[in-house]
Every structure is written in structure tokens, then in C-alpha cells.
Amino acid sequence: MAVFESKLETHSEQFVQNRAEMLDKLAVLDELHAEAAQGGGGEAMARLRARNKMPIRERIGHVLDHDSPFLEISPLAAWRSNFIIGSGVVLGIGVIEGVECVIMGHDPSVRAGAGNMFNGKKLMRGLEISRENNMPYVQFVESAGADLRGQGGGGDPEEAIKRESGHFAESGRLFYEITELSKMRIPTISVVFGASTAGGAYQPGMSDYNIFIKGQSQVALGGPALVKMATGEDTDYEALAGAEMHTSVSGLGDYLARDEMDGIRMCREVIAHLNWRKLGPGPSLPVDDPLYDTKDLLGIVGDDLRIPFDMREVITRIVDGSRFEEFKPLYGPTLVTGWASVHGYPVGILGNNGPLMSESSEKAAQFIQLCNQIDVPLVFLHNIPVYIVGTYFELGGITKNGSKMINAVANSTVPHITVIVGASYGAGNYGMSGRAYGTKFTYIWPTAKIAVMGPAQMAGVMTIVGRAAAERRGLEFDEEADAKRRATAEHWAEERSKGLFATSRVSDDGMIDPRDTRDVIAISLSACHNKEVRGTKAFGTWRM
């Protein structure tokens, strides 16, 4: 396989500017990650330690194999909302006793681990990853159930009720999906670290294995206060919900641990006896570092996404040995397609080098078919402004061939991993296997922007439509008022298109440092290979 020859000028003014802009974004990202790691803050963390409890990230750190990575999913959920960054749940993929597992943990320093609309999305995403990739599901439970103080932290009572209703339905689905994993022979393991009531009680209730901690775990559908209000009974937590009662009387608990570290040890022992086997093939190609420095990825993309760059320069810094066998390089050049490997896993790569044209869309559909024929996962690298529009392009079949590409993406059954490097607008997001298309994992760079269309284009369309409406009614179009509306619309569209906003709403699996792209893709590929990797030849009908 040929080695791609980089033409990146790392001393150019543009590269230096891009690098500075990226480092500024990464500094902000580091601050937000540090804030998320603080959970409910210093005072709340101090209260935990005073009760001989570990913060959630320490618990997860102890259960993982020594020196193994933990790929956290959606760590910045709830940024710029009424909730704490991270939303009180830590979710990710880690290795326990040599087994790749999905690990979810409530953060008791944040509202006693209570559920809200943001961590509800994270919980459901964790279950989806476990189900779709055939991975054991480990949950560190300590939850007060649904947050009774409201999902929005105030505001219109009617809107709060609507939000509560949606969260209630999502919570019910959570129980369904935990027990569905068991039906699918995917093990579910709960370690209960503290008080877990209402919805928090059903999480171990639906699990295959339950580990309780003496004097610490408390599981009940309703706590003493609710029992008193519902029945008039006076009781206390230990009699009603304690670990010793559940492991010796009710039978809800399977193992009784002396303390948190003993519970973590038991969790590792349970994972060790699962006799777990990955169903997909392991890495089959040489694992060589890229020939070009991954640090160069910092300077390829800048703030201004209108400035073009060659996606091959990204590819050559994330694939093994910078080897890339390009497919149809002279046809449909606005889309780069070809074969490579990442940490030994064969992949087919599709990367944007401009808008998707009729020819590049047709090339993509063929390439996706070929990868499905040989059971090779697909990696999509986004910098897609649009599918091209206009009379000339419609005559050339852009709608027909764009639909072929989307058809191929939708029907493909090999794993898809998506990294949004720059722009990802409109139907281009769909054609490049955006989150809505069953992509196994989706990550974004700090430079990413995601929207129905570019902010300036959207504001301009609103103006054109408004002017036409005024003409139909015989009214004078107010240019000054429109200019104000247009500026406001463009500002908010720009803010909401930014990657930080998207990742905070759990529309992807996390914003990553570009230098980590190769390793993040490799961990994701390894997770996907817990399940059989098999392509399809049965694609939907498309117009030839």
C-alpha cells in the first residue's frame, strides 16, 4: 500500500495561525474537563470523603486494568445549561480483566446522583453502545432517582411539566433496556455504592449481578420519608433498604463487600468469570506509527472553515505507517476515498475535500458497497459544507446521486465511525453518516460546526423568503428591521452551530483533541469488534 506524501507546510503563516487558534480552543476544553471532574464542587467532594466514599472517577480508575485507557463519552453534557457540566453521570469505555466494558457511574456529589434530561441521554447512550457493540455493561449506582426539583432548574411551570413527562418516559425505557441486554446475553453488573431509590433502585433490580457494600448500600423503591407518607410506617434505611438485609433476606444483592475497594475487587472477579469472547476479528495489519507527526493535526484546520485544506493531510497522520490506498483519486475529487488501517484494524475512509458533487456522491456509494463486500468498517471524516445546489448541478443528477450515497450509508451494516473535523451542514451530515444514521461512534474536533445550513446562508434565506412574502401582499419590505432580524438570527445560528454547543447536548460522543484522533478511532474500532463485523450486499433500490 502506497505511503501518502505530505505537502503540509508547517512553517506557513496559515498553519501557525491555525495551530494557535486550536491551542486556544484546547485550553478552554481542558478547563471545562477540569470543571466536570470537580462534580458538585469542593465542598460536596469533601463531604463524600468524610463518609469514606471515593469520587466517581476514582471508583472507575480502580476498577480498570492497570495503565489501560478510559474513553469518556459526552463528558461536557449540560454545558451552558442549569445543570453542572457532565450532568452528574460519568460514562465511558474501559477494560476490566481484559474485557472491554461500557462503564456508567452516578456522581453522588451532584444532587445525590439524581436523574435529569442530560444524564438521562447519557444513560441511554451507554446502553445503546453496550447493545450495538455487544459489550458488558457495568454500572456504579448511587442515585436518588429523578430530580424532583425539575429538569430545567426553574422557568415556566408548564414547560417544566413537559420536561418531567419526557424524562419519566426515558427513565422507564432505561429499565427496559437494562433487562433487554440480559435477554441478548450481554452481562449487566451493578455495584451499589450508596442510597439508590426509585429509579435508582431499579438499576440493580434489572441487573444480572449485584454487589452491595456493608453499611453503605441502600436500595428501596421509596425511602423512609416516602414510606411514612404513603403508608404511615416508621422505618429506617438499614431495616428498609440496607445491604445486609438485601444480601441475606430479600435476595436482591448477590455479593456483600466490606467497603468500596472490596466491592470493586468483587466487580473485577465477576467480569473475570464471564468467559467473554470478542466475536469480531482482531487487528490483522501491521501497527506502525504514522510517518508524520500527529502534532501537525493542530495546524491543519483553523477558525475560518471557508479556508480549504486537504483531508489527506489528516488521514496520513492517523493511519498506520501513513499508508493509504486511494480509490478513484481522479473521479469526484471533492471526496477522498480509500483503504488504510488504524492500530492494525482495516478501514475504509471517506473524507471531504469540498462540497459533495454528483460524481463524488456516486463514488461514495460504490466505495461503501465495496467495503461491505469485504467486511471492512468505515471511517467518515467531515468537512462538508453542502451537497452542491443549483440548476446546473440538478441537471447533472446531484439529487439522484446524492440519494444513492445516503441510501448506501443507511443500508451499510459494517461499523461506521465518524469524526467531524470542520463543517457538517445539512444533508451533507446525513450522507457522511452523521449521528442519525446508526453510526457506532461520533466525535468532533474543537473546530467542528454542525447545523442545518451555514448561519449566513440561513439568515439570507430568511430575508429572501420575507421579501417575497411582502411582495405577494403588496407591502413595503422593512430593510432596517430585516437587517436587525438577520443579524440576530445569524448570531444565534452561529452560536448553536459550534461544536461545544452540540457536544453539550449529547449529539455526539465527545469533543476530542485532534492529536488523540488515531487512538480514539482505534478504541472505538476495538469496541465494535466485540460484535461480528459483517457487511451487506442487500442495498435499497436506487435510480441508476
Side-chain angles (χ1 to χ4, degrees):
M1 191 177 290
V3 173
F4 176 78
E5 183 178 347
S6 174
K7 296 179 176 63
L8 187 66
E9 297 179 6
T10 57
H11 298 293
S12 70
E13 183 179 341
Q14 189 63 59
F15 181 92
V16 172
Q17 180 181 330
N18 290 348
R19 185 178 184 277
E21 290 168 352
M22 181 67 81
L23 288 173
D24 286 344
K25 286 180 168 62
L26 290 174
V28 172
L29 196 60
D30 287 342
E31 290 177 6
L32 293 176
H33 283 150
E35 185 179 340
Q38 286 299 308
E43 190 175 318
M45 289 290 189
R47 282 199 301 271
L48 273 184
R49 294 194 184 279
R51 300 200 297 267
N52 294 318
K53 288 186 170 187
M54 289 184 282
I56 182 57
R57 282 179 168 79
E58 284 188 24
R59 291 169 177 170
I60 292 172
H62 283 299
V63 82
L64 296 173
D65 289 355
H66 183 64
D67 283 341
S68 68
F70 179 66
L71 178 59
E72 189 168 352
I73 303 295
S74 295
L76 302 184
W79 173 75
R80 281 196 178 174
S81 75
N82 292 321
F83 297 97
I84 285 172
I85 293 179
S87 71
V89 161
V90 177
L91 173 69
I93 296 171
V95 180
I96 304 173
E97 290 291 324
V99 178
E100 289 163 316
C101 300
V102 175
I103 304 169
M104 185 286 299
H106 296 110
D107 185 345
S109 75
V110 180
R111 290 190 172 184
N116 60 60
M117 58 188 173
F118 287 104
N119 62 37
K121 286 184 179 180
K122 288 177 71 169
L123 289 170
M124 298 303 287
R125 177 60 181 143
L127 289 160
E128 181 182 33
I129 292 172
S130 178
R131 180 180 67 250
E132 292 296 318
N133 298 289
N134 198 52
M135 299 171 69
Y137 185 72
V138 177
Q139 46 188 359
F140 286 179
V141 183
E142 187 167 3
S143 172
D147 190 339
L148 299 180
R149 288 170 285 190
Q151 299 302 316
D156 182 8
E158 290 188 10
E159 287 300 313
I161 290 170
K162 290 177 184 176
R163 287 191 292 266
E164 292 289 356
S165 299
H167 181 62
F168 177 76
E170 199 168 62
S171 297
R173 185 69 188 183
L174 168 68
F175 312 151
Y176 174 92
E177 294 209 8
I178 292 173
T179 195
E180 184 186 41
L181 291 180
S182 183
K183 180 181 73 174
M184 298 173 69
R185 302 182 69 181
I186 299 174
T188 54
I189 301 99
S190 285
V191 184
V192 182
F193 283 94
S196 300
T197 55
Y202 280 109
Q203 287 179 256
M206 297 294 177
S207 296
D208 295 339
Y209 300 89
N210 285 326
I211 299 164
F212 285 40
I213 298 168
K214 186 176 182 179
Q216 190 168 311
S217 304
Q218 298 164 347
V219 178
L221 299 184
L226 180 57
V227 170
K228 176 68 175 177
M229 292 303 298
T231 69
E233 178 190 353
D234 289 310
T235 186
D236 60 58
Y237 267 113
E238 280 304 307
L240 174 72
E244 290 184 85
M245 185 279 290
H246 278 307
T247 52
S248 64
V249 179
S250 80
L252 177 63
D254 305 311
Y255 304 87
L256 181 63
R258 296 187 304 275
D259 52 31
E260 291 198 5
M261 284 302 294
D262 194 37
I264 289 168
R265 176 190 63 79
M266 289 178 173
C267 179
R268 290 180 57 82
E269 287 184 351
V270 169
I271 298 292
H273 87 238
L274 293 177
N275 192 30
W276 195 251
R277 298 174 300 281
K278 295 180 75 164
L279 302 179
S284 58
L285 295 173
V287 182
D288 302 318
D289 290 335
L291 295 184
Y292 303 101
D293 198 333
T294 56
K295 293 178 183 177
D296 294 344
L297 293 170
L298 295 174
I300 294 176
V301 190
D303 285 347
D304 189 350
L305 297 181
R306 294 171 299 180
I307 298 173
F309 63 90
D310 189 347
M311 192 63 80
R312 296 177 187 87
E313 299 290 358
V314 175
I315 294 169
T316 197
R317 286 162 176 82
I318 63 176
V319 301
D320 294 332
S322 299
R323 295 181 293 271
F324 183 58
E325 179 192 337
E326 191 165 354
F327 175 71
K328 282 194 170 177
L330 303 179
Y331 185 77
T334 59
L335 185 72
V336 178
T337 55
W339 286 278
S341 65
V342 179
H343 280 265
Y345 286 102
V347 293
I349 298 177
L350 300 92
N352 302 118
N353 259 2
L356 283 163
M357 316 289 277
S358 186
E359 296 83 2
S360 50
S361 300
E362 190 174 44
K363 176 169 76 169
Q366 182 186 0
F367 182 71
I368 291 167
Q369 284 182 308
L370 293 174
C371 288
N372 273 264
Q373 277 192 334
I374 57 176
D375 304 329
V376 169
L378 293 165
V379 174
F380 294 81
L381 302 175
H382 289 220
N383 184 35
I384 172 63
V386 288
Y387 276 97
I388 198 69
V389 296
T391 304
Y392 174 81
F393 300 106
E394 288 297 344
L395 290 171
I398 182 57
T399 298
K400 181 182 72 172
N401 288 325
S403 298
K404 283 183 189 177
M405 180 178 177
I406 293 174
N407 187 315
V409 168
N411 286 280
S412 170
T413 57
V414 294
H416 294 186
I417 295 169
T418 290
V419 182
I420 301 175
V421 171
S424 186
Y425 291 142
N429 176 275
Y430 310 149
M432 288 295 291
S433 197
R435 185 67 170 265
Y437 277 70
T439 303
K440 296 296 185 186
F441 294 95
T442 303
Y443 306 100
I444 63 174
W445 281 15
T447 42
K449 288 187 178 179
I450 308 160
V452 173
M453 64 178 72
Q457 289 78 15
M458 183 168 70
V461 167
M462 290 170 64
T463 292
I464 292 170
V465 171
R467 184 176 285 114
E471 288 177 1
R472 284 196 306 272
R473 296 187 182 100
L475 302 174
E476 184 179 350
F477 186 65
D478 190 335
E479 297 286 354
E480 185 178 344
D482 176 71
K484 291 180 180 178
R485 282 195 301 269
R486 183 169 177 166
T488 300
E490 190 169 341
H491 168 76
W492 286 112
E494 175 69 20
E495 286 300 304
R496 288 175 178 270
S497 74
K498 290 179 180 177
L500 261 178
F501 183 84
T503 201
S504 72
R505 269 54 189 171
V506 199
S507 66
D508 54 69
D509 294 313
M511 180 176 283
I512 62 174
D513 186 321
R515 294 166 292 189
D516 295 332
T517 305
R518 169 175 163 81
D519 292 337
V520 168
I521 290 174
I523 293 171
S524 303
L525 285 167
S526 184
C528 292
H529 282 70
N530 278 279
K531 194 171 184 177
E532 185 180 20
V533 175
R534 176 161 294 188
T536 182
K537 294 183 181 180
F539 289 87
T541 300
W542 56 50
R543 290 171 177 81
M544 300 304 290

